[in-house]
C-alpha cells in the first residue's frame, strides 16, 4: 500500500507490464451502510469521468485504465513523483512560486470549463521528475460549476495554504492567483470576491 | 509552587466559574445555562442572565473549592469568540475581581480552552480536535505555533442545526439529547444532502430537507435517525481528512455535542482505522464552563502572558488561529 487517505487506500500494482495505481474506496463500517455505499459508488464513478474529462482540457491527470464500480476501485496511471505538499518543505522559494503559478493555471483551466476540483489542496497535486504538475483525487469534483462552487474551491485552496504552509502562505497565494488570473482573466474577479465572502461566512471571519 | 486560578466563562448561553490549580487539579466548576422557554438565545437576555447569576456562581465556586478570595492568584476570563453583550458582562466581572484582589488578569480564547481542558483530561499531547457545539463546528490541530482550523462549517454549527430542527418539531432547547433519544427508534434511512467541501462542511441544506420530510409526514424517529447518520457521517469524513492530512495520532471530541453517543461511536471507528487514540471529553468539561478558562489561563500565564485592564477589551470574532500559543513551543 502506498497511502491510506481519508476515503481510500492507494496500492501500487503491476498490470499488463506496467506499474499502475489502484485506488480503492474501502467500506467504512462506522458510517451508515446506505450513505457509505452511495458515497463510494458516486465518487468512484465521478472520479473516473472527471479525470478523463479534465485531461481533455489540458490538465494533466492520470489516465484511467479500468474501473470496477461494484468494488469501488479505479486502476490508473501511477505518477512517479512527489506530493506538492512535501515539495514545499524542500524546495527553493523560486521553485515553489513557479509551482504555485502552475497550480493556479490548472485550476483556472478547470474553472473556465465550469469544473471544480472540490478539494484543491497541495496533497492533491503531484510533481513528476520533469517538474510537470499533475492533479489527482477528483472524487469531489463537479461539472456545471457556479460562481459559488468556484468560490468554494478558491476558499479551500487558501485554507490549505494557511493550515499547511503557514510560513509561506502569502507568496504561495499570490503566485497561485497570478496563474489563476492569467487563465481566467476577467472572470477571476467574481470568483475571488465570492471566495472572500465565503471565508467571511465561517463563524468568526 | 502551586498557583490557583479562577476562570470565568460567559461567551454564550452559559455562565461558569471554576477554580483550577497549576498542577492541573480542577477544584471546582460551577455553571448555569440559560434555557429559554421558547425560541433561541437572545444575546441581551443571555448577558442579563450572566449578570444575574454571575456573583452567586463565583461565590459557590470558591466555596466548593474550599478556598477564599485571598487564595486566588490569577483571574482568567473568556475574551472571545462569542456574543458581544455576554463577553462584556463576563469581562467586567473578571476585571473587577482582578483589581479587587490585585492579581493578574488573563484573556483566554474560548475554543483554545476547550482543547486545552480536553488535553488535560485525556493526557493527549497533540490531538486533532473535533469541536462541536451550538455555536461551533471546527476541526482544529496545532501547527506552526498556532491552533489552526483545518475545517469548519460554512453555514450553521452542528448543534445549531440540531436545535433549530428540534425547535421546529416542538423539542425544547438544547434539542440534541432529544434528537438522539428519538433517533434510537428510527429504522428507515431517508437520504439527506451530504455536503462536504474539502475539509469544510455545510448543514443548512440538510436542515431544509429534514424540515420538508417532517411536513411530508415522515416519522420523527426516522428523520432524527437520518439527520444523525448524515450529519455525523459528514463530520467523520472531515475528521478523517484532517487525520490523514496532519498524520497526528490522537483524536479529541469536545463541545456540547460531544455527549452524543452515536457521534462518539462513529469517531471511534475513524480513530481505529487510522491507528489513533480517541478521547471524548467528559460532559462536565466538554460544555462551556469556567475550569477550562482557568486551566488555559494558567498555561498562558506560565508562558508569560498578562493582560493589562486597559487593553482587556473583548474580542467577539477572535478566531482560534489568531493567537500565538506560546506554551506549546515544544511541538
Amino acid at each position: 500500500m502506498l497511502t491510506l487517505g481519508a476515503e481510500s487506500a492507494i496500492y501500487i500494482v503491476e498490470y499488463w507490464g506496467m506499474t499502475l495505481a489502484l485506488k480503492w474506496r474501502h467500506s467504512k463500517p462506522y458510517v451508515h451502510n446506505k450513505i457509505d455505499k452511495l458515497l463510494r459508488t458516486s465518487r468512484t464513478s465521478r472520479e473516473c469521468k472527471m479525470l478523463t474529462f479534465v485531461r481533455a482540457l489540458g490538465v494533466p491527470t492520470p489516465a484511467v485504465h479500468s474501473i470496477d464500480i461494484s468494488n469501488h476501485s479505479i486502476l490508473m496511471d501511477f505518477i512517479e513523483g512527489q506530493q506538492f505538499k512535501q515539495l514545499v518543505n524542500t524546495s527553493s522559494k523560486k521553485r515553489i512560486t513557479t509551482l504555485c503559478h502552475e497550480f493556479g493555471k490548472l485550476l483556472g483551466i478547470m474553472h473556465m470549463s465550469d469544473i471544480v476540483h472540490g478539494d484543491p489542496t497541495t496533497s492533491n497535486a503531484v510533481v513528476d521528475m520533469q517538474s510537470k504538475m499533475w492533479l489527482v483525487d477528483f472524487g469531489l469534483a463537479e461539472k456545471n460549476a457556479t460562481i459559488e462552487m468556484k468560490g468554494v474551491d478558491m476558499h479551500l485552496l487558501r485554507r490549505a495554504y494557511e493550515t499547511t504552509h503557514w510560513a509561506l502562505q502569502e507568496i504561495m497565494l499570490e503566485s497561485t492567483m497570478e496563474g489563476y488570473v492569467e487563465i481566467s482573466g476577467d472572470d477571476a474577479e467574481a470568483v475571488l470576491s465570492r471566495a472572500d465572502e465565503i471565508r467571511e461566512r465561517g463563524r468568526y471571519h | 509552587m502551586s498557583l490557583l486560578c479562577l476562570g470565568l466563562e460567559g461567551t454564550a448561553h452559559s455562565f461558569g466559574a471554576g477554580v483550577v490549580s497549576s498542577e492541573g487539579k480542577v477544584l471546582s466548576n460551577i455553571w448555569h445555562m440559560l434555557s429559554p422557554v421558547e425560541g433561541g438565545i437572545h444575546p441581551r437576555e443571555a448577558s442579563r442572565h450572566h449578570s444575574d447569576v454571575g456573583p452567586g456562581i463565583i461565590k459557590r465556586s470558591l466555596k466548593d473549592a474550599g478556598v477564599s478570595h485571598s487564595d486566588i492568584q490569577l483571574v482568567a476570563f473568556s475574551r472571545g469568540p462569542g456574543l458581544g453583550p455576554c463577553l462584556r458582562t463576563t469581562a467586567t466581572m473578571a476585571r473587577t475581581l482582578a483589581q479587587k484582589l490585585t492579581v493578574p488578569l488573563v484573556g483566554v480564547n474560548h475554543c483554545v480552552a476547550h482543547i486545552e481542558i480536553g488535553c488535560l483530561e485525556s493526557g493527549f499531547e497533540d490531538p486533532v480536535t473535533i469541536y462541536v457545539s451550538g455555536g461551533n463546528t471546527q476541526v482544529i490541530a496545532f501547527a506552526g505555533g498556532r491552533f489552526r482550523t483545518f475545517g469548519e462549517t460554512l453555514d450553521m454549527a452542528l448543534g445549531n442545526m440540531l436545535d433549530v430542527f428540534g425547535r421546529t418539531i416542538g423539542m425544547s432547547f438544547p434539542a440534541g439529547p432529544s434528537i438522539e433519544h428519538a433517533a434510537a427508534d428510527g429504522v428507515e434511512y431517508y437520504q439527506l444532502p451530504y455536503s462536504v467541501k474539502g475539509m469544510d462542511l455545510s448543514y443548512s441544506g440538510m436542515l431544509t430537507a429534514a424540515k420538508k420530510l417532517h411536513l411530508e409526514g415522515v416519522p420523527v424517529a426516522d428523520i432524527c435517525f437520518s439527520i444523525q447518520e448524515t450529519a455525523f457521517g459528514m463530520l467523520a469524513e472531515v475528521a478523517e481528512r484532517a487525520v490523514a492530512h496532519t498524520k497526528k495520532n490522537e483524536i479529541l471530541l469536545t463541545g456540547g455535542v460531544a455527549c452524543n453517543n452515536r457521534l462518539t461511536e462513529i469517531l471511534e471507528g475513524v480513530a481505529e482505522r487510522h491507528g489513533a487514540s480517541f478521547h471524548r471529553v467528559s460532559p462536565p468539561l466538554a460544555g462551556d464552563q469556567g475550569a477550562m478558562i482557568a486551566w488555559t489561563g494558567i498555561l498562558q500565564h506560565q508562558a508569560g502572558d498578562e493582560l493589562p485592564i486597559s487593553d482587556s477589551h473583548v474580542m467577539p470574532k477572535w478566531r482560534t488561529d489568531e493567537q500565538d500559543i506560546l506554551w506549546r513551543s515544544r511541538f
Side-chain angles (χ1 to χ4, degrees):
Chain A
M1 183 160 67
L2 180 69
T3 51
L4 176 65
E7 50 149 12
S8 66
I10 295 179
Y11 301 86
I12 307 296
V13 292
E14 291 291 330
Y15 230 87
W16 304 311
M18 292 182 284
T19 304
L20 299 174
L22 179 76
K23 177 165 180 169
W24 180 48
R25 286 185 164 80
H26 43 245
S27 79
K28 296 179 179 179
Y30 41 90
V31 175
H32 190 277
N33 60 19
K34 275 195 184 165
I35 300 178
D36 190 41
K37 196 150 195 282
L38 187 79
L39 290 179
R40 292 163 74 201
T41 310
S42 65
R43 288 182 181 173
T44 302
S45 113
R46 173 177 304 217
E47 176 153 37
C48 273
K49 285 181 209 154
M50 297 310 251
L51 278 169
T52 310
F53 193 89
V54 303
R55 201 158 195 251
L57 300 173
V59 176
T61 61
V64 174
H65 292 267
S66 125
I67 168 176
D68 181 347
I69 199 87
S70 59
N71 191 37
H72 316 284
S73 66
I74 307 173
L75 193 62
M76 61 180 116
D77 277 343
F78 170 58
I79 309 299
E80 214 176 335
Q82 258 188 307
Q83 259 186 344
F84 185 22
K85 180 172 88 175
Q86 291 159 345
L87 270 180
V88 172
N89 302 323
T90 54
S91 304
S92 66
K93 268 192 187 165
K94 188 162 179 287
R95 174 140 200 250
I96 294 168
T97 51
T98 310
L99 288 169
C100 284
H101 189 91
E102 180 64 16
F103 196 27
K105 275 171 77 175
L106 297 179
L107 288 172
I109 294 172
M110 288 170 54
H111 283 192
M112 287 307 277
S113 294
D114 296 336
I115 310 277
V116 289
H117 181 279
D119 192 18
T121 66
T122 49
S123 300
N124 291 334
V126 178
V127 180
D128 72 12
M129 305 306 178
Q130 282 77 44
S131 274
K132 178 173 171 179
M133 183 178 277
W134 301 71
L135 296 192
V136 297
D137 214 344
F138 281 77
L140 294 178
E142 285 183 77
K143 279 188 190 177
N144 303 320
T146 56
I147 289 191
E148 169 76 14
M149 290 154 81
K150 295 176 193 175
V152 169
D153 239 17
M154 298 316 275
H155 160 73
L156 294 174
L157 173 101
R158 180 170 178 189
R159 161 74 62 65
Y161 286 173
E162 253 172 20
T163 54
T164 311
H165 309 291
W166 56 87
L168 295 168
Q169 53 173 299
E170 282 90 9
I171 58 158
M172 286 180 70
L173 192 64
E174 198 190 312
S175 37
T176 309
M177 289 308 156
E178 276 169 19
Y180 184 74
V181 172
E182 195 178 305
I183 297 294
S184 47
D186 292 344
D187 290 352
E189 202 194 315
V191 174
L192 298 179
S193 63
R194 183 65 69 96
D196 285 341
E197 203 184 303
I198 291 163
R199 184 177 160 83
E200 296 289 319
R201 279 183 217 155
R203 187 72 182 167
Y204 306 113
H205 216 293
Chain B
M1 206 191 81
S2 179
L3 173 144
L4 291 184
C5 177
L6 170 69
L8 303 186
E9 154 66 33
T11 53
H13 52 52
S14 295
F15 182 86
V19 178
V20 177
S21 76
S22 52
E23 286 88 36
K25 198 156 184 272
V26 178
L27 301 177
S28 69
N29 198 16
I30 312 278
W31 70 90
H32 186 267
M33 182 171 92
L34 170 69
S35 322
V37 185
E38 58 176 59
I41 301 295
H42 191 292
R44 189 183 57 224
E45 282 159 22
S47 72
R48 180 73 180 271
H49 163 264
H50 296 357
S51 67
D52 285 348
V53 305
I57 286 182
I58 294 169
K59 261 189 208 144
R60 272 176 59 206
S61 161
L62 292 172
K63 191 166 167 250
D64 246 44
V67 299
S68 79
H69 286 98
S70 54
D71 296 322
I72 299 298
Q73 290 148 288
L74 184 66
V75 172
F77 72 106
S78 54
R79 196 181 180 190
L83 305 170
C86 303
L87 293 171
R88 282 190 285 276
T89 304
T90 310
T92 306
M93 287 188 251
R95 287 181 202 119
T96 311
L97 279 166
Q99 276 181 316
K100 187 89 182 157
L101 304 172
T102 54
V103 298
L105 182 70
V106 176
V108 170
N109 182 300
H110 174 90
C111 304
V112 169
H114 269 295
I115 302 171
E116 289 297 356
I117 198 77
C119 286
L120 176 68
E121 187 188 67
S122 60
F124 281 2
E125 291 207 317
D126 188 20
V128 167
T129 301
I130 318 295
Y131 169 32
V132 274
S133 66
N136 288 281
T137 299
Q138 298 188 32
V139 177
I140 310 165
F142 188 75
R146 295 191 176 189
F147 284 111
R148 299 188 191 264
T149 310
F150 281 77
E152 66 186 324
T153 177
L154 289 172
D155 40 49
M156 330 179 68
L158 174 54
N160 190 213
M161 187 269 290
L162 297 173
D163 286 337
V164 175
F165 178 73
R167 200 154 75 214
T168 328
I169 60 170
M171 290 172 171
S172 63
F173 175 87
S178 313
I179 288 179
E180 180 173 11
H181 191 73
D185 297 325
V187 279
E188 192 158 348
Y189 174 76
Y190 287 83
Q191 200 183 328
L192 292 169
Y194 183 102
S195 183
V196 165
K197 298 156 196 280
M199 275 187 250
D200 280 353
L201 27 81
S202 151
Y203 285 123
S204 58
M206 176 184 302
L207 177 64
T208 310
K211 281 181 176 170
K212 195 160 162 263
L213 288 180
H214 181 60
L215 287 176
E216 287 165 3
V218 173
V220 164
D222 287 345
I223 306 177
C224 290
F225 173 69
S226 306
I227 287 179
Q228 286 209 138
E229 292 304 316
T230 315
F232 300 163
M234 282 162 57
L235 194 62
E237 179 174 355
V238 170
E240 207 160 352
R241 282 176 187 273
V243 170
H245 186 83
T246 60
K247 311 256 186 268
K248 294 193 193 278
N249 56 16
E250 294 162 338
I251 301 178
L252 187 69
L253 173 63
T254 192
V257 190
C259 64
N260 188 294
N261 291 321
R262 177 61 182 140
L263 175 60
T264 304
E265 189 180 276
I266 292 179
L267 289 174
E268 275 169 349
V270 171
E272 196 186 322
R273 172 179 294 273
H274 291 270
S277 326
F278 174 82
H279 181 80
R280 152 161 75 167
V281 180
S282 64
L285 294 180
D288 292 357
Q289 27 70 33
M292 67 177 192
I293 302 296
W295 172 239
T296 312
I298 288 171
L299 294 173
Q300 247 168 270
H301 185 255
Q302 282 173 343
D305 190 33
E306 254 186 63
L307 188 61
I309 303 268
S310 54
D311 297 340
S312 64
H313 58 273
V314 299
M315 294 159 77
K317 295 193 169 196
W318 195 9
R319 280 184 67 97
T320 315
D321 54 13
E322 278 172 347
Q323 185 187 13
D324 285 316
I325 309 299
L326 303 168
W327 60 93
R328 280 187 173 259
S329 52
R330 64 199 149 98
F331 290 110

